[in-house]
Amino acid sequence: MSNFEVETWSGLSSGGITAVPGFKVAGVHCGIRKNRDKRDLALIVADRMCSAAAVYTTNKVKGAPLLLTMEHLSKSQGKARAILCNSGNANTCAPDGLAAATTMVNAAAKELDINPSDIIVNSTGVIGVKLPVDAILAGMPKLVKSLSRDNIPAAEAIMTTDTFSKSWAAQFELGGKTVTLGGIAKGSGMIHPNMATMLSFLATDCAITPEMLQKALKASTIISYNQVSVDGDTSTNDMCAILASGTAGNPLIDTENEDYNNFLTALNAINLKLAKEIARDGEGATKLLICRVNGAKTFEDASKLSKSIIGSSLVKSAMFGADANWGRVLCAMGYSGASFDPMRVDVSFSSAMGDLDVCKQSTGLDFDESMAKGILSEKEVTIEINLSDGNQAAEAYGCDLTYDYVRINGDYRT
Amino acid sequence: MSNFEVETWSGLSSGGITAVPGFKVAGVHCGIRKNRDKRDLALIVADRMCSAAAVYTTNKVKGAPLLLTMEHLSKSQGKARAILCNSGNANTCAPDGLAAATTMVNAAAKELDINPSDIIVNSTGVIGVKLPVDAILAGMPKLVKSLSRDNIPAAEAIMTTDTFSKSWAAQFELGGKTVTLGGIAKGSGMIHPNMATMLSFLATDCAITPEMLQKALKASTIISYNQVSVDGDTSTNDMCAILASGTAGNPLIDTENEDYNNFLTALNAINLKLAKEIARDGEGATKLLICRVNGAKTFEDASKLSKSIIGSSLVKSAMFGADANWGRVLCAMGYSGASFDPMRVDVSFSSAMGDLDVCKQSTGLDFDESMAKGILSEKEVTIEINLSDGNQAAEAYGCDLTYDYVRINGDYRT
């Protein structure tokens, strides 16, 4: 099943983590952020032990909470009950980072009466500044007391300069049982700069082993979050984590059977929705860019090409200016490292305003510039490439490069 | 000899191609560009056959003139007499590009009474638009008639939105003979968008075989132009080419002897100067950024790290805002793919206003924010990294990311 088919899958619904029975969430302001109206501490708790899986940033410089989470999931052999996350400070390259992460986890564990190693933890915010652990400790009782079946406070508490919170849910049948899957995510933003962290937290009542959960999560992030680029900077704190409680009562998924595939489809559908929302809400963005590459020899080639195009500063600037500058698209393909025939590339632009072919067999076509301008002025624009080289395809998701991106990231931290 | 030592080498002087005896250049307006005050056709001619060498863009999509030049240098076994280049149109992904390049070369060859295959040719400008060959043919007699010992017209005729022309020369002794080396270059810019072409044309009277000339040119571009990033987009038409006439009378360099090394030092010195000018004059740039990485295990690691930092949109935006945001520097190192110990990184910022350590052993230091702001507000800023991992070093050159970059590249083409 391709990611294009996943997107039209019918099981999606609004709602997030709390669409899943047995999960409560909370989000409060504890004082890491100066603005008292901004929540900065989030908690997700399952009413029983869950299968757990996580994927992490590939950045060699990893935040202290990620290191602690890896240790926890290794010690518990893929089991966990809660996810704890603050915003406003990344606890990365900061003094005593691991001790600070441990302290906040211990406080939550005590308040929840669970093992510290059953907690997945992360932080998002400024790099290199000491985590204000005292604020987190002071806020912990309030956080745990406010646990409820309302998804919004947690979705908001992990936001940085995201302009909207991101939540999706899905329901589907496995072995005659209804299974629910829900997730929340955040994209890039900042109070202080240094934040471009991508976070996604998911919950499900599906019965699935930690091994199969990890396998599904990894497969799903490859076609969703890993295909997003806002500015080419891979954060130190990226994480996608999932808890699976098993209360749906479906036959335990312990191999790559049909149930596994159905679960993966739902997971892909949610992750793609959240990934696109992260791209659409990229720093300073005025539009969502989708780059679809068809006709590639391998998925890897299609993926490399789509990501190279979506990551090009020149392409992104042109899209901001609604300029049908397809030469930059070919240029970005050429330096992508992917295998393709540079003389046989077709390019078209599309949006709600229509479709327009601009390049055929690597040679420019005469086209209506005002029609191009109209198509590219929409809020969601697709750059479509055809390679006539094979039958593999991939999509990447990004946004335009705008004055506001420079303003947001050029502003002084204080 | 490191590139830091090369920069303090004493043989450099102002002047360009025409500092070298036996070379004439010309630059005229032939009508490719609309603005009649902008020269758009350049020619460099030696008074005899030269050893010739060139390095080209690694982009898989290569401009038609590059393909023709490769064919010429292969046919002539590394000999050439002239370099022909227009600005305003890249002759890339354009209808009948190879025929157009051949036609312009044939016209120059006829006018100069030399073989077409003795000409190195390139074009820089918009991609995907048919080259106006008629304008070039009409301008050719005037171009050849205006050949002179004045370097400026050619240096100007290859410019696109460069804000200043770039020329350097050097003199040094080989075997008791004075050898001269001169060069001109252009960086990124546009009339129409799509232009981020880097061009560098060099001339020398040194006696050197084509093989040694190619070897020296390749080695030199690795530490100079290949360490420049303005926006991460590798053009389809990048080229660095050199002609060596041999009239200096030095013992022919046909092996990697001491003379070769002395020649390479001079070549490095000029190429580094031109490369830095390209970075300083990057689209929309307000400052030159130099990133020096010391103490790496290998040159490759140092090079990858320095280029990753200089290419990060978040680092570049922070430098525009004079924000000492060293967390982004560590982040960019972490995703560079280079080998280093992420827990043992020192970072400092320096400029004419002073030096400031901001991170020691990957942990933030308390520093004076107003002093940091002062240092980073200068026109030339160095980001210095120490890894304590070995004794290899590299430098990369770039510029800040500004509103003007977005404006220049977001503007509609017409």
Side-chain angles (χ1 to χ4, degrees):
Chain A
M1 191 177 217
S2 78
N3 51 348
F4 323 126
E5 289 165 299
V6 164
E7 284 177 69
T8 55
W9 183 74
S10 62
L12 279 175
S13 60
S14 58
I17 297 283
T18 51
V20 187
F23 283 84
K24 288 183 175 171
V25 308
V28 301
H29 172 83
C30 75
I32 303 169
R33 295 165 136 191
K34 283 173 195 161
N35 183 344
R36 297 185 59 88
D37 293 334
K38 292 258 193 187
R39 303 176 199 267
D40 53 18
L41 192 59
L43 183 62
I44 299 169
V45 184
D47 62 7
R48 68 198 66 209
M49 189 64 89
C50 297
S51 291
V55 293
Y56 310 93
T57 180
T58 55
N59 198 309
K60 261 181 89 94
V61 179
K62 285 183 175 66
L66 276 72
L67 301 176
L68 187 60
T69 296
M70 288 175 190
E71 193 188 307
H72 284 182
L73 287 183
S74 158
K75 197 188 287 181
S76 69
Q77 295 180 292
K79 296 279 178 180
R81 269 195 64 186
I83 299 174
L84 175 67
C85 183
N86 71 274
S87 58
N89 185 309
N91 191 19
T92 300
C93 299
D96 308 318
L98 210 54
T102 304
T103 303
M104 70 187 269
V105 162
N106 286 348
K110 194 176 160 200
E111 204 74 33
L112 291 166
D113 195 21
I114 63 174
N115 249 318
S117 65
D118 297 337
I119 298 179
I120 289 169
V121 62
N122 207 345
S123 299
T124 176
V126 64
I127 295 178
V129 174
K130 201 173 160 73
L131 186 71
V133 180
D134 289 347
I136 295 174
L137 294 185
M140 195 59 74
K142 181 170 68 169
L143 182 72
V144 172
K145 256 189 216 93
S146 66
L147 280 166
S148 80
R149 297 276 297 152
D150 177 8
N151 181 69
I152 298 300
E156 286 182 356
I158 61 171
M159 287 166 63
T160 48
T161 49
D162 297 65
T163 66
F164 56 87
S165 69
K166 298 158 187 78
S167 304
W168 282 93
Q171 275 199 337
F172 49 102
E173 301 275 313
L174 289 183
K177 302 288 184 180
T178 298
V179 175
T180 308
L181 174 64
I184 58 175
K186 73 163 289 277
S188 49
M190 66 178 58
I191 303 166
H192 301 287
N194 276 330
M195 297 198 210
T197 308
M198 188 232 97
L199 297 179
S200 167
F201 299 132
L202 301 145
T204 181
D205 50 7
C206 184
I208 181 168
T209 64
E211 294 72 27
M212 286 298 110
L213 191 62
Q214 182 69 40
K215 183 167 246 170
L217 188 64
K218 191 166 177 192
S220 185
T221 52
I222 287 171
I223 65 154
S224 55
Y225 307 111
N226 288 1
Q227 290 294 107
V228 172
S229 178
V230 167
D231 52 14
D233 280 272
T234 303
S235 152
T236 52
N237 287 49
D238 291 337
M239 178 193 273
C240 177
I242 184 167
L243 298 178
S245 66
T247 57
N250 61 294
L252 180 73
I253 299 174
D254 58 2
T255 180
E256 286 187 58
N257 54 16
E258 196 188 332
D259 282 358
Y260 172 86
N261 289 331
N262 290 337
F263 174 74
L264 183 57
T265 298
L267 189 61
N268 284 342
I270 287 199
N271 282 338
L272 268 172
K273 279 286 186 190
L274 293 171
K276 279 187 173 185
E277 288 188 337
I278 288 172
R280 190 192 305 276
D281 198 21
E283 282 177 335
T286 70
K287 62 189 74 169
L288 169 65
L289 301 180
I290 299 173
C291 179
R292 182 178 299 166
V293 174
N294 297 316
K297 233 182 256 134
T298 67
F299 170 77
E300 287 66 33
D301 289 324
S303 167
K304 268 188 200 168
L305 288 165
S306 59
K307 284 185 82 169
S308 186
I309 293 165
I310 222 81
S312 156
S313 293
L314 287 169
V315 171
K316 288 156 64 81
S317 301
M319 292 299 103
F320 173 57
D323 180 3
N325 212 321
W326 60 269
R328 294 179 179 176
V329 172
L330 261 80
C331 180
M333 293 173 68
Y335 63 70
S336 69
S339 161
F340 71 103
D341 183 345
M343 303 311 286
R344 290 176 66 200
V345 179
D346 300 345
V347 183
S348 64
F349 294 111
S350 65
S351 75
M353 287 290 284
D355 295 345
L356 188 65
D357 295 334
V358 292
C359 170
K360 185 96 187 156
Q361 300 286 298
S362 300
T363 298
L365 300 171
D366 279 330
F367 58 84
D368 181 337
E369 292 276 359
S370 72
M371 183 178 171
K373 186 98 181 160
I375 288 171
L376 299 181
S377 296
E378 290 292 301
K379 289 285 174 202
E380 184 170 326
V381 170
T382 299
I383 304 169
E384 185 157 347
I385 307 296
N386 276 289
L387 296 175
S388 324
D389 224 18
N391 58 8
Q392 292 298 303
E395 273 189 359
Y397 312 101
C399 56
D400 50 346
L401 176 60
T402 68
Y403 297 124
D404 270 358
Y405 177 85
V406 178
R407 183 186 56 73
I408 293 168
N409 289 301
D411 267 4
Y412 198 56
R413 282 161 300 150
T414 49
Chain B
M1 190 177 218
S2 76
N3 50 348
F4 322 127
E5 289 166 298
V6 164
E7 285 176 68
T8 55
W9 183 73
S10 63
L12 279 175
S13 60
S14 59
I17 296 283
T18 51
V20 187
F23 284 83
K24 287 183 175 172
V25 308
V28 301
H29 171 83
C30 75
I32 302 169
R33 296 165 135 191
K34 284 172 194 161
N35 182 344
R36 296 186 58 86
D37 293 335
K38 293 258 193 187
R39 303 176 199 267
D40 53 19
L41 191 59
L43 183 64
I44 299 169
V45 184
D47 63 8
R48 69 198 65 209
M49 189 63 89
C50 295
S51 291
V55 293
Y56 310 93
T57 181
T58 54
N59 198 309
K60 262 181 88 96
V61 179
K62 286 184 174 66
L66 276 71
L67 301 176
L68 187 62
T69 296
M70 289 175 188
E71 191 188 309
H72 284 181
L73 287 182
S74 158
K75 197 188 286 180
S76 69
Q77 295 180 293
K79 297 278 179 182
R81 269 195 65 187
I83 299 174
L84 176 66
C85 182
N86 70 275
S87 58
N89 185 309
N91 191 18
T92 299
C93 300
D96 308 318
L98 209 54
T102 304
T103 303
M104 71 187 268
V105 162
N106 285 349
K110 193 175 162 204
E111 204 73 32
L112 290 166
D113 194 21
I114 63 175
N115 248 317
S117 64
D118 297 338
I119 298 179
I120 289 168
V121 62
N122 206 343
S123 298
T124 176
V126 65
I127 295 178
V129 175
K130 202 173 160 71
L131 185 71
V133 180
D134 289 347
I136 295 174
L137 294 185
M140 196 59 75
K142 181 171 67 166
L143 181 74
V144 172
K145 256 189 217 93
S146 67
L147 280 165
S148 81
R149 297 276 298 151
D150 177 8
N151 181 69
I152 298 300
E156 288 182 355
I158 61 172
M159 287 166 62
T160 48
T161 48
D162 297 64
T163 66
F164 56 87
S165 68
K166 299 157 187 80
S167 304
W168 282 92
Q171 276 200 335
F172 49 102
E173 301 275 313
L174 289 182
K177 302 289 183 178
T178 298
V179 175
T180 308
L181 174 65
I184 59 175
K186 73 163 289 275
S188 49
M190 64 178 57
I191 304 166
H192 301 288
N194 277 330
M195 298 199 210
T197 309
M198 189 233 95
L199 297 178
S200 167
F201 299 131
L202 301 144
T204 180
D205 51 6
C206 185
I208 183 169
T209 64
E211 293 73 26
M212 287 297 110
L213 191 62
Q214 181 70 39
K215 183 167 246 172
L217 187 64
K218 190 166 177 193
S220 186
T221 52
I222 287 172
I223 65 154
S224 56
Y225 307 111
N226 288 0
Q227 290 293 108
V228 171
S229 178
V230 167
D231 51 15
D233 281 272
T234 304
S235 152
T236 52
N237 287 49
D238 291 338
M239 178 193 272
C240 177
I242 185 167
L243 298 177
S245 68
T247 57
N250 61 294
L252 180 72
I253 300 174
D254 57 4
T255 179
E256 286 187 58
N257 54 16
E258 197 188 330
D259 282 359
Y260 172 87
N261 289 330
N262 290 337
F263 175 74
L264 182 58
T265 298
L267 189 60
N268 284 341
I270 286 199
N271 282 338
L272 269 172
K273 280 285 186 189
L274 292 171
K276 280 186 173 184
E277 288 188 338
I278 287 172
R280 191 192 306 276
D281 198 20
E283 281 177 335
T286 70
K287 62 188 74 169
L288 170 65
L289 301 180
I290 300 173
C291 179
R292 182 178 299 165
V293 174
N294 296 316
K297 233 180 257 132
T298 67
F299 170 76
E300 287 67 33
D301 289 323
S303 167
K304 268 188 199 167
L305 288 165
S306 59
K307 284 184 82 170
S308 186
I309 293 165
I310 222 80
S312 156
S313 293
L314 287 168
V315 171
K316 288 155 65 83
S317 300
M319 292 299 104
F320 173 56
D323 180 4
N325 212 321
W326 59 269
R328 294 180 178 174
V329 172
L330 260 80
C331 180
M333 293 173 68
Y335 62 70
S336 68
S339 162
F340 71 103
D341 182 345
M343 303 310 287
R344 290 176 67 201
V345 178
D346 300 345
V347 183
S348 63
F349 295 111
S350 64
S351 74
M353 287 290 285
D355 296 344
L356 188 64
D357 295 333
V358 292
C359 170
K360 185 95 186 158
Q361 302 285 296
S362 301
T363 298
L365 300 171
D366 280 329
F367 58 84
D368 181 337
E369 292 276 359
S370 71
M371 183 178 171
K373 186 98 180 158
I375 287 172
L376 299 181
S377 297
E378 290 293 301
K379 289 283 174 203
E380 185 170 325
V381 171
T382 298
I383 304 168
E384 184 156 348
I385 308 296
N386 276 289
L387 297 176
S388 321
D389 223 19
N391 59 9
Q392 293 298 303
E395 273 189 357
Y397 312 101
C399 57
D400 51 345
L401 175 60
T402 68
Y403 297 122
D404 271 358
Y405 178 85
V406 178
R407 184 186 55 72
I408 292 168
N409 290 301
D411 268 4
Y412 198 56
R413 280 161 301 150
T414 47

